[in-house]
Amino acid sequence: MVRKLFFILILVLPGAVQAQFPPDPGDTTHRDTVYLMSPAEMTEVMRLPVFRRPESELIHIMPHQRYHFNVVMDVELNFGGTSRYAGLFFNTTDGYIGFTPPQPIEARDVLFPEIEDFTLTVISYKLGKIYTYRNRKASGEAPMQHLVSTSNTENHDYFDGNLMVSAPISNKNVTRNFCNGQYRGTLYKQDGLQTVWYLYSDEFGNHRTMPSSVQIQKYIGGWGVGFVQTSKGKFIVMEKSGNGSSYVRVVDIRPTIESFDPSDYKLMEQEFLTKGNQHLNEERENIARDEAKIAHHDHCQSEEMAIIQYRKANLERQERNLQISQSGNLIQNRDAQGVYLSLMDPLIKVDGEILETRLSICQSEYSLQQHPGDQRLSGKISCKRQLLSRLEQAKEQMQQIDHQYSNIVEANGRKARILMQVQARGGCD
């Protein structure tokens, strides 16, 4: 409650008033109230020390450091006619941003890490490090977990090719109002591209017209909106529009005093690596124990050994995947991404179920030899053979999908639907 009251006090500081007036006819971002910054506050917001500091002086963010933000933007994201809203936080001195996940309701622009659905992603200015902080809801008596995912950017930096800095962008003499008419942005476009940007600057007003073209040199923001340093000064990117009706738009800007302390957040990648190695060691011991037992069995040894070989191959695959998962960041490195996706491949599960079903059929047939005429066993064998046929057919369909679709996500989705159809038929127990 103290933090919320403090944030409300910020909004009524001397020199700042609430804008409550009809929107300009061209303004499509109307809200009942927006924060109307005083000239002094706008000057401070546009000071942007990060653009003046050498890269060697920029802070290298760490997953457990305390973050401080001095500017917040409410952002509307619209792709395909559906709007989502997010809070975009800036540290304009040390050069990092934070953002909340887009959601259908008005953006959460005050940070409350104590709530269960809290999520915040923090990105360094040069996009080398990306950390996502989230709470995992408690179950039963267990306490709420605080987790941070680095997407392996701790060891493998993320690099982003920014479209805006690739070539000069030109003034197309089209303007639009933003934030209830408080700011008028001018449309700029790069030749040969459909993407457009609306730029605003407090330095260009009644006495100065916006420049005919600018070369964007530096950028800090998210989803294509935020702050830019150009050949003609500093601007706010109020909107980025793409094909059709898709756009990302700033609907409010204001100074803020926000902090976030993630010192008690546990690294998910480290936990994944630790648990992965622990699982591999346990499975290796289990395989050795089970293989030794099979040597003393007097029936179905070949079916049991086929399962042992399957488990060994699966173990080798998991060991290899665990190594590859550390080879690059999970945002850009296709090999590292593929590791996590391959762990969810339904074909692996089908292979295992086929072997288990063959073993079950063999064991039931052996039991039937010991108890001839047992109708229950005969019925179970018949059911298992039908299940085996469905599983083998599902495997063939999944293998065809692997040949048809190079996108692992799409392929896994299609294979999962096939597996669900098999499982929906029920088992034989």
Side-chain angles (χ1 to χ4, degrees):
M1 179 60 70
V2 172
R3 296 182 62 188
K4 182 176 284 188
L5 288 174
F6 181 66
F7 183 76
I8 293 172
L9 288 174
I10 294 174
L11 298 183
V12 294
L13 288 172
V17 297
Q18 294 293 316
Q20 298 183 0
F21 46 81
D24 182 278
D27 183 9
T28 60
T29 61
H30 174 56
R31 302 173 71 191
D32 291 337
T33 60
V34 296
Y35 185 83
L36 182 58
M37 282 191 287
S38 68
E41 287 176 314
M42 175 56 82
T43 298
E44 180 60 25
V45 165
M46 295 298 295
R47 198 165 61 85
L48 298 167
V50 62
F51 288 153
R52 299 196 303 270
R53 297 175 64 182
E55 286 191 29
S56 58
E57 294 182 9
L58 292 176
I59 216 170
H60 293 283
I61 63 173
M62 305 289 287
H64 293 124
Q65 76 173 65
R66 188 179 185 90
Y67 299 107
H68 303 280
F69 302 103
N70 62 300
V71 177
V72 61
M73 293 181 179
D74 292 342
V75 178
E76 177 188 3
L77 303 96
N78 190 299
F79 303 104
T82 301
S83 286
R84 294 290 185 269
Y85 302 89
L88 183 57
F89 300 82
F90 294 82
N91 182 309
T92 61
T93 298
D94 293 328
Y96 54 82
I97 67 165
F99 60 85
T100 57
Q103 53 191 351
I105 60 176
E106 187 173 326
R108 180 177 291 153
D109 46 26
V110 183
L111 301 178
F112 290 115
E114 60 273 16
I115 64 177
E116 281 193 332
D117 65 345
F118 172 77
T119 300
L120 178 72
T121 299
V122 180
I123 307 178
S124 60
Y125 166 54
K126 285 298 181 183
L127 297 181
K129 313 298 178 188
I130 301 178
Y131 305 137
T132 298
Y133 301 87
R134 58 171 57 88
N135 293 341
R136 180 179 292 169
K137 294 182 179 181
S139 59
E141 298 298 322
M144 182 169 61
Q145 289 185 291
H146 304 288
L147 304 171
V148 52
S149 171
T150 70
S151 298
N152 283 348
T153 60
E154 268 292 271
N155 302 312
H156 304 277
D157 283 355
Y158 174 83
F159 295 97
D160 182 37
N162 195 317
L163 197 63
M164 288 187 290
V165 303
S166 59
I169 54 178
S170 302
N171 185 339
K172 298 303 179 181
N173 296 314
V174 175
T175 62
R176 177 180 293 168
N177 285 351
F178 296 88
C179 305
N180 265 19
Q182 183 180 355
Y183 310 110
R184 182 171 291 276
T186 301
L187 186 151
Y188 281 79
K189 187 177 183 297
Q190 193 177 114
D191 292 338
L193 294 180
Q194 291 184 314
T195 305
V196 301
W197 297 269
Y198 282 88
L199 304 186
Y200 165 82
S201 174
D202 61 330
E203 296 181 3
F204 293 86
N206 295 329
H207 304 293
R208 297 181 64 193
T209 58
M210 290 286 280
S212 59
S213 68
V214 298
Q215 173 68 60
I216 293 177
Q217 300 160 336
K218 299 178 181 180
Y219 165 74
I220 180 170
W223 302 292
V225 298
F227 300 99
V228 290
Q229 173 71 54
T230 79
S231 55
K232 301 296 175 65
K234 290 171 285 196
F235 297 84
I236 302 175
V237 182
M238 303 299 298
E239 179 179 314
K240 175 188 175 182
S241 301
N243 298 332
S245 60
S246 66
Y247 60 84
V248 181
R249 181 179 297 156
V250 177
V251 297
D252 202 4
I253 311 172
R254 57 192 174 280
T256 189
I257 303 175
E258 286 281 344
S259 295
F260 170 55
D261 181 4
S263 56
D264 62 341
Y265 279 69
K266 184 185 297 185
L267 283 167
M268 292 179 67
E269 282 78 13
Q270 185 59 50
E271 184 179 31
F272 172 81
L273 189 61
T274 300
K275 288 185 176 180
N277 282 317
Q278 181 180 349
H279 166 74
L280 292 175
N281 291 332
E282 291 174 353
E283 177 64 4
R284 192 176 292 108
E285 293 174 1
N286 291 338
I287 290 173
R289 184 191 64 240
D290 294 343
E291 187 173 10
K293 289 180 181 179
I294 292 173
H296 303 287
H297 292 176
D298 58 1
H299 63 277
C300 302
Q301 279 188 334
S302 61
E303 287 80 6
E304 289 181 316
M305 282 305 301
I307 292 176
I308 290 294
Q309 295 305 319
Y310 164 81
R311 289 169 63 185
K312 286 182 177 180
N314 203 30
L315 185 68
E316 292 177 1
R317 178 168 51 245
Q318 291 181 38
E319 286 179 315
R320 184 171 61 255
N321 284 349
L322 203 60
Q323 294 175 348
I324 296 173
S325 72
Q326 308 302 307
S327 66
N329 73 66
L330 296 177
I331 301 169
Q332 293 175 307
N333 187 283
R334 295 181 65 88
D335 290 336
Q337 292 170 355
V339 164
Y340 286 86
L341 293 171
S342 67
L343 295 175
M344 300 179 287
D345 189 346
L347 181 55
I348 298 175
K349 182 174 178 61
V350 167
D351 280 335
E353 290 191 4
I354 286 174
L355 296 175
E356 292 286 352
T357 303
R358 287 175 179 167
L359 173 60
S360 180
I361 292 172
C362 177
Q363 291 172 335
S364 296
E365 289 176 338
Y366 178 79
S367 296
L368 187 60
Q369 292 174 7
Q370 309 304 311
H371 304 88
D374 189 325
Q375 296 301 313
R376 185 187 63 84
L377 283 172
S378 296
K380 185 176 182 179
I381 292 171
S382 176
C383 179
K384 288 287 185 180
R385 285 174 175 166
Q386 292 176 25
L387 174 60
L388 179 61
S389 176
R390 294 197 298 270
L391 288 168
E392 289 175 337
Q393 184 178 10
K395 178 176 180 178
E396 291 180 4
Q397 292 173 340
M398 290 182 183
Q399 289 174 331
Q400 291 175 3
I401 288 174
D402 282 334
H403 290 300
Q404 292 173 351
Y405 298 93
S406 58
N407 185 304
I408 300 178
V409 175
E410 183 177 3
N412 279 357
R414 290 177 177 272
K415 288 188 282 187
R417 287 194 288 272
I418 293 173
L419 179 59
M420 289 174 62
Q421 291 171 358
V422 174
Q423 294 173 331
R425 299 281 295 273
C428 299
D429 298 324

